[in-house]
């Protein structure tokens, strides 16, 4: 009798695990949103922007290039949730090559979770970049033996100059989840558990370049009033988890970020499943972890109501986020 009960329990566990695996590998269909895809930038575009997944964005004006995050490793679900993670050297090599990146002035993690900052010190080493971020990000750099000469702890609201780019880091917050908060108070030496990459300070990254302005907002949380004096033509808006929040939170998020900066265009980022390798097309995070269709419905409705253009980013290809906005 006991053997039968144990066998039945084992069958139930295996069936549940199989069902969960199917759910976590079922991604929302992107076909319905093809009309929103950003076009590829013409070769003569003076300032090119590439979206490389999660909140990794590279801006290049032909003389200087800067990058947020620089996350290419994308370890799988099992390793991320139950094992130990560290930079995938081959994955970083492929990612930088695919993006055509050989030299950077700065790599700027928007916060210190592994899907943002884990690869940043290695990207800085390979490209000669300054690693710019919080004290927690600095300790990720130190744990990877990045020289102190390539580590800069940023100050909120203090403009930094990289070539013709002016970059200002503004206060932000991570989306409210079980992973929010915490600091990294000593050098972090991978491989470690993914949850050892604590948030640290979260930043919104304001980039200004010869009349153009872009706000890279890497996580769907906000510091009330932090952007009241900020203007940005385009917001690359982190929407990870936004579809799982209630309507009141989504309204507040939009108001505190998009409305506050008087944006003309919103380009959602951090919607892709960061457990999927970056060798193929990006796929939205599966339910129940997020609800991409809810997010897109919200963005389109609010955009239509307020006259704000909604565009999905080109994936890896260069784009001009200001195209058609009358920017300089």
């Amino acid at each position: 009798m006991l053997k039968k009960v144990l066998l039945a329990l084992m069958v139930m566990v295996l069936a549940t695990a199989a069902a969960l695996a199917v759910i976590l590998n079922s991604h929302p269909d992107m076909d319905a949103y093809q009309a929103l895809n950003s076009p590829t930038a013409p070769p003569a575009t003076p300032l090119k922007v590439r979206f490389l997944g999660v909140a990794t964005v590279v801006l290049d004006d032909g003389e200087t290039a800067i990058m947020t995050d620089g996350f290419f490793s994308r370890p799988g679900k099992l390793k991320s949730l139950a094992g130990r993670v560290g930079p995938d050297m081959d994955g970083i090599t492929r990612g930088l090559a695919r993006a055509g990146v050989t030299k950077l002035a700065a790599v700027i993690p928007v916060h210190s979770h592994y899907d943002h900052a884990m690869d940043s010190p290695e990207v800085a080493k390979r490209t000669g970049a300054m690693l710019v971020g919080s004290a927690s990000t600095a300790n990720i750099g130190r744990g990877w033996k990045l020289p102190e000469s390539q580590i800069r702890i940023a100050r909120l609201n203090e403009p930094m100059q990289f070539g013709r780019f002016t970059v200002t880091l503004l206060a932000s917050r991570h989306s409210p989840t079980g992973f929010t908060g915490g600091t990294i108070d000593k050098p972090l030496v991978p491989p470690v558990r993914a949850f050892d990459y604590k948030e640290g300070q979260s930043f919104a990254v304001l980039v200004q370049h010869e009349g153009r302005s872009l706000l890279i907002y890497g996580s769907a949380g906000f510091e009330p009033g932090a952007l009241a004096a900020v203007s940005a033509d385009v917001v690359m808006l982190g929407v990870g988890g936004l579809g799982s929040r209630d309507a009141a939170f989504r309204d507040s998020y939009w108001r505190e970020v998009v409305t506050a900066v008087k944006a003309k265009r919103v380009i959602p980022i951090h919607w892709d499943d960061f457990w999927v390798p970056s060798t193929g097309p990006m796929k939205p995070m599966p339910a129940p972890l997020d609800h991409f269709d809810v997010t897109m419905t919200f963005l389109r409705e609010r955009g239509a109501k307020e006259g704000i253009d909604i565009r999905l980013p080109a994936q890896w290809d260069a784009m001009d986020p200001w195209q058609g906005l009358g920017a300089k």
Side-chain angles (χ1 to χ4, degrees):
M1 180 66 179
L2 180 58
K3 288 184 177 180
K4 290 183 177 179
V5 171
L6 291 175
L7 181 59
L9 287 173
M10 185 178 296
V11 170
M12 289 177 61
V13 169
L14 290 174
T16 300
L20 184 60
V22 170
I23 291 171
L24 292 179
N25 286 285
S26 298
H27 300 88
D29 189 357
M30 296 287 288
D31 289 347
Y33 307 107
Q34 287 187 3
L36 301 180
N37 289 341
S38 296
T40 301
T45 301
L47 176 55
K48 296 181 174 70
V49 178
R50 295 177 191 266
F51 173 60
L52 311 182
V54 194
T56 294
V57 178
V58 60
L59 301 92
D60 189 344
D61 67 0
E63 297 176 2
T64 306
I66 59 175
M67 179 184 286
T68 54
D69 289 2
F71 176 63
F72 302 105
S73 291
R74 301 174 79 98
K77 296 180 181 70
L78 187 60
K79 179 179 281 192
S80 299
L81 298 175
R84 292 177 178 270
V85 299
D88 176 346
M89 304 299 274
D90 290 338
I92 294 170
T93 297
R94 288 192 300 270
L96 290 174
R98 185 178 179 186
V101 173
T102 58
K103 185 178 180 180
L104 293 168
V107 56
I108 309 167
V110 298
H111 59 263
S112 298
H113 283 159
Y114 83 98
D115 57 321
H116 297 269
M118 182 174 74
D119 295 346
S120 304
E122 179 61 21
V123 171
K125 274 187 178 182
R126 297 191 189 193
T127 62
M130 184 70 68
L131 176 65
V132 181
S134 69
S136 292
T137 290
N139 276 325
I140 295 173
R142 294 179 183 120
W144 197 247
K145 304 295 191 230
L146 185 69
E148 284 291 333
S149 60
Q150 280 184 259
I151 297 174
R152 177 173 177 175
I153 298 177
R155 295 182 180 179
L156 287 172
N157 306 309
E158 182 178 277
M160 298 173 286
Q161 205 69 34
F162 302 101
R164 288 179 285 163
F165 291 100
T166 302
V167 179
T168 308
L169 303 190
L170 308 162
S172 181
R173 292 183 186 177
H174 191 269
S175 176
T177 69
F179 314 116
T180 302
T183 57
I184 302 170
D185 300 318
K186 61 182 180 180
L188 185 66
V189 182
V192 295
R193 293 182 64 82
F195 304 120
D196 290 333
Y197 285 91
K198 305 297 185 182
E199 176 189 353
Q201 172 68 55
S202 281
F203 299 110
V205 182
L206 177 65
V207 181
Q208 296 165 303
H209 184 283
E210 297 189 335
R212 299 175 177 87
S213 55
L214 174 67
L215 183 70
I216 302 172
Y217 208 90
S219 186
F222 58 89
E223 184 72 37
L227 304 179
V230 175
S231 295
D233 294 322
V234 180
V235 178
M236 298 188 78
L237 185 71
V239 296
L242 190 62
S244 300
R245 306 294 164 205
D246 59 31
F249 182 90
R250 289 194 290 271
D251 287 341
S252 296
Y253 183 51
W254 179 276
R255 182 178 63 253
E256 290 283 350
V257 180
V258 178
T259 303
V261 304
K262 304 176 182 64
K264 301 174 184 176
R265 174 171 290 152
V266 167
I267 301 174
I269 60 173
H270 206 338
W271 46 264
D272 56 308
D273 185 343
F274 48 75
W275 292 310
V276 171
S278 60
T279 51
M282 297 175 196
K283 300 178 180 180
M285 189 66 76
L289 300 176
D290 201 359
H291 298 282
F292 181 72
D293 293 324
V294 172
T295 295
M296 292 306 298
T297 297
F298 169 75
L299 294 179
R300 295 174 85 170
E301 288 179 350
R302 290 303 293 263
K305 181 178 179 181
E306 299 182 20
I308 297 172
D309 188 46
I310 308 296
R311 294 279 180 177
L312 283 169
Q315 298 182 18
W316 292 84
D317 291 329
M319 58 182 174
D320 177 359
W322 301 274
Q323 184 177 353
L325 294 183
K328 185 175 177 181

